[in-house]
Amino acid sequence: MPMELTDLAERAGEWLSGTGPESDIVISCRIRLARNLRGFTFLTRASDEEKKLLEQSISGRLAEIDFGKKTTYLPLHETDMLERLFLVERHLISKELAAAESPRGVMLGDNESLAIMVNEEDHLRIQAMRSGLELSALWNEINGYDQAIERKLDYAFSSQFGYLTSCPTNVGTGMRVSVMMHLPVLVMTKQIEKVFQAMNKIGLAVRGLYGERTRGLGDFYQISNQVTLGKDEETIVHDLAEVIPKVMEYERKWRESLLKENRAQLEDAVYRAQGLLSAARVISSEETMNLLSSIRMGVNLGLITGIPIAKVNELFIQTQPAHLQIIEGRALQPEERDQLRARFIRQRLDLKAD
Amino acid sequence: MPMELTDLAERAGEWLSGTGPESDIVISCRIRLARNLRGFTFLTRASDEEKKLLEQSISGRLAEIDFGKKTTYLPLHETDMLERLFLVERHLISKELAAAESPRGVMLGDNESLAIMVNEEDHLRIQAMRSGLELSALWNEINGYDQAIERKLDYAFSSQFGYLTSCPTNVGTGMRVSVMMHLPVLVMTKQIEKVFQAMNKIGLAVRGLYGERTRGLGDFYQISNQVTLGKDEETIVHDLAEVIPKVMEYERKWRESLLKENRAQLEDAVYRAQGLLSAARVISSEETMNLLSSIRMGVNLGLITGIPIAKVNELFIQTQPAHLQIIEGRALQPEERDQLRARFIRQRLDLKAD
């Protein structure tokens, strides 16, 4: 295993630090750009030989670029599945890139604020992430990376369609902007469905911490644009930047009203989660996320003191299966993992066992 | 409210003391005899006038009898519903007697070892209860009470059918013997269905702590004879006394095997229950029973120390709705009750709140 991964496991990316604006509700924001090279076959049709060539030449060019921060390139075809799942859990590569077999890789920027996937669905997928809600600053940042890359690599671009992508749903800006929100009280008060409906109406998608399948786990909702064509980047960013505060206010309004009118129910959820996490001897990843969500809510509402929010944010990631195994330094059977997870959480949250 | 009830709420009957034989698994055993008076209409057909007459004369006669212990007679038509539900929760009267409206009552023996219902389905329902598994001793005890009553009151008895009862299912001995067992590990390992099937095959019924509807709540199973005719009392007692130890051994076998092969699962259940009971701010009666069951198992397996089993046994009863209200001294709305219950359990089990 590359030394870097074992290191990473014990730290968290900046995007989990809980230091950005509105980070009681907005965990992080992320922008990714899909780019392809002019004159090269799209990956859906490329031969293994072409993929190999693409991976080598792209990674070579990326290495020449000064991104203003320390970067490391990981050839993923040389890593094992556990390492790749670890990167998926950290949101540094996609599940698809982890599962693929052909030559491919990822360039990681220091502090996990930048990840450039090579040979995913498109030749390049450039991603920038940061803590809290800071979409315009993030757009400026990733736009800078994109321009730096464009100086070294010739992008497939049509004056009519914009950036050309492997899948037509990404054509145009090739951009997806997404905001990861923690909405425990909207879930508890059953208001969350209204958020979904409102988002759908204005063409935004709602996913979970790890995509569609995990929607709602840990009360996390990732809100992102669906349309990449017919709007420029600034407009896409601006539209999302207008909507997110409304969802935040909705969550805050319900928090206040619940604190006022049904404090016992809130306290019950928070303290039960704390009680269970200090008591459990066996715990699944799914249950962990749901209990950590109540802990996170408790910290934000002032019902729990002495636990930094960054620690709770990190635990959502560190208690995932691949993370536990990387931290423990060996492969673990699921039952063993569930026991280790229970112990790990107690230690990290400094909870006394009953 | 009669002074006696408020007193009772804070103490528990002997049958909950956890001192009898096999009381890690057998909570208590109980025998009841259905009796009717010769020359009086069965209650299903009696007029209110006759019921009044019956209640007065029976209670008068009972008062003359020396049962070898202090007794108190409660005319139930003079009590309110909350008080009657309280007695139901303590297993001193039946739900039917609580819900009825005509003149009726119950004579309670000191320590709750004896309860004689007047004007339930039959003119008299004599009940004796004690902690643990001691069926023959209990039979001798209740047989003594029965004979003492028979010296004062003329029972309806047929040389062909035995004791005549209001419902034909009780004719003959008029006897129901029941044993309350706590079988948490047979539930956890999903073996309990086999117990039901075996019991049904040999004509025994399985109910819950408060009858059929509550079967399984708190992992309590009340096993009793169905047949009252064609077997004498000693045989009924003997048959049950033969079967119960087999169920006990089954539970013990699975406890040992789980301790050996899946200790983490057992510990997890026990410590989670402890964690939840120390953390909850709102808790239903049903959840309480299920968590207390794990606590009880934990104490019996040595995983929890410092909590006397009698205290856990008592809590199953004291956390029931009517008990909480009698202890608090006022009527409580369900939500208020669920909050009070959470606090009450923490205090009684001396659990620190998170």
Side-chain angles (χ1 to χ4, degrees), chain A residues 268 271-272 279 281-282 287, chain B residues 268 271-272 279-282 287:
Chain A
D268 189 58
Y271 296 135
R272 274 173 183 253
R281 295 302 188 269
V282 182
E287 187 186 1
Chain B
D268 189 59
Y271 296 136
R272 275 174 183 252
R281 295 301 188 270
V282 181
E287 187 186 3

Side-chain angles (χ1 to χ4, degrees), chain A residues 65-349:
Chain A
I65 300 171
D66 177 12
F67 289 99
K69 57 180 78 190
K70 189 172 165 284
T71 56
T72 319
Y73 184 79
L74 277 178
L76 290 171
H77 46 281
E78 293 172 12
T79 58
D80 63 31
M81 194 57 180
L82 182 62
E83 290 161 5
R84 297 198 297 274
L85 288 180
F86 171 87
L87 295 171
V88 172
E89 290 174 358
R90 287 182 94 76
H91 291 271
L92 296 173
I93 66 172
S94 63
K95 282 193 196 98
E96 292 69 24
L97 196 67
E101 297 202 326
S102 48
R104 66 208 188 283
V106 64
M107 171 167 273
L108 300 178
D110 207 25
N111 224 352
E112 300 174 49
S113 52
L114 168 67
I116 305 171
M117 288 181 262
V118 177
N119 285 2
E120 209 256 14
E121 190 180 280
D122 297 293
H123 298 150
L124 286 151
R125 286 269 173 117
I126 310 162
Q127 164 183 293
M129 256 199 297
R130 59 169 69 186
S131 161
L133 185 65
E134 245 182 334
L135 286 175
S136 343
L138 188 64
W139 162 242
N140 289 334
E141 182 183 336
I142 198 169
N143 195 26
Y145 300 144
D146 188 36
Q147 288 169 357
I149 298 169
E150 201 164 11
R151 282 191 288 271
K152 291 282 180 182
L153 290 165
D154 194 12
Y155 285 158
F157 184 85
S158 138
S159 54
Q160 190 186 352
F161 297 117
Y163 292 102
L164 300 178
T165 53
S166 181
C167 175
T169 58
N170 289 312
V171 161
T173 56
M175 180 162 84
R176 169 163 286 165
V177 183
S178 58
V179 178
M180 180 77 73
M181 307 187 81
H182 185 230
L183 304 172
V185 173
L186 290 182
V187 173
M188 192 183 260
T189 56
K190 300 187 173 61
Q191 300 300 311
I192 195 73
E193 271 299 330
K194 292 186 190 161
V195 175
F196 298 160
Q197 286 162 13
M199 296 301 111
N200 282 339
K201 247 186 215 163
I202 54 174
L204 299 180
V206 185
R207 296 183 176 77
L209 182 59
Y210 292 113
E212 189 58 48
R213 205 183 46 80
T214 61
R215 190 164 90 171
L217 263 191
D219 305 321
F220 287 117
Y221 296 90
Q222 212 175 155
I223 297 177
S224 60
N225 65 306
Q226 304 251 51
V227 175
T228 57
L229 189 68
K231 276 185 181 182
D232 65 14
E233 288 84 349
E234 281 80 5
T235 311
I236 295 174
V237 167
H238 174 264
D239 287 354
L240 221 68
E242 287 247 292
V243 165
I244 299 297
K246 289 181 186 146
V247 182
M248 274 167 30
E249 284 320 305
Y250 200 43
E251 167 76 16
R252 288 214 176 98
K253 197 196 87 188
W254 278 96
R255 286 185 183 186
E256 270 170 44
S257 118
L258 209 56
L259 268 177
K260 214 182 294 169
E261 278 151 42
N262 204 344
R263 195 182 170 93
Q265 191 198 346
L266 263 185
E267 290 187 343
D268 189 58
V270 169
Y271 296 135
R272 274 173 183 253
Q274 203 174 23
L276 278 174
L277 289 177
S278 38
R281 295 302 188 269
V282 182
I283 196 165
S284 71
S285 161
E286 187 171 327
E287 187 186 1
T288 297
M289 289 176 69
N290 291 330
L291 295 178
L292 284 176
S293 171
S294 297
I295 298 281
R296 194 176 191 283
M297 176 175 74
V299 172
N300 281 326
L301 294 177
L303 296 175
I304 295 183
T305 52
I307 301 182
I309 204 76
K311 213 172 208 179
V312 184
N313 286 353
E314 282 172 40
L315 270 178
F316 281 103
I317 309 295
Q318 288 171 332
T319 54
Q320 297 295 327
H323 268 73
L324 281 179
Q325 296 176 75
I326 297 267
I327 291 172
E328 185 71 5
R330 65 191 172 97
L332 299 166
Q333 292 304 305
E335 310 86 65
E336 212 183 352
R337 214 152 66 202
D338 288 352
Q339 294 186 35
L340 182 75
R341 183 179 292 114
R343 204 161 52 236
F344 180 79
I345 297 167
R346 265 201 311 280
Q347 286 166 354
R348 291 296 159 118
L349 289 183

Side-chain angles (χ1 to χ4, degrees), chain B residues 13-83:
Chain B
E14 188 277 339
W15 65 279
L16 279 170
S17 65
T19 51
E22 320 291 359
S23 59
D24 54 333
I25 293 177
V26 177
I27 304 283
S28 59
C29 51
R30 174 160 60 147
I31 300 180
R32 73 107 171 100
L33 302 172
R35 299 289 185 257
N36 288 278
L37 302 191
R38 188 186 302 275
F40 287 83
T41 322
F42 282 144
L43 289 161
T44 36
R45 292 174 167 270
S47 67
D48 277 358
E49 202 50 43
E50 285 173 294
K51 287 180 187 171
K52 191 173 168 190
L53 185 69
L54 275 163
E55 196 265 336
Q56 286 174 349
S57 74
I58 295 176
S59 63
R61 287 303 173 92
L62 289 179
E64 297 165 9
I65 301 172
D66 177 13
F67 289 100
K69 58 180 78 190
K70 189 174 165 285
T71 55
T72 319
Y73 183 78
L74 278 177
L76 291 171
H77 45 282
E78 293 173 11
T79 59
D80 63 31
M81 196 55 181
L82 182 62
E83 291 161 4

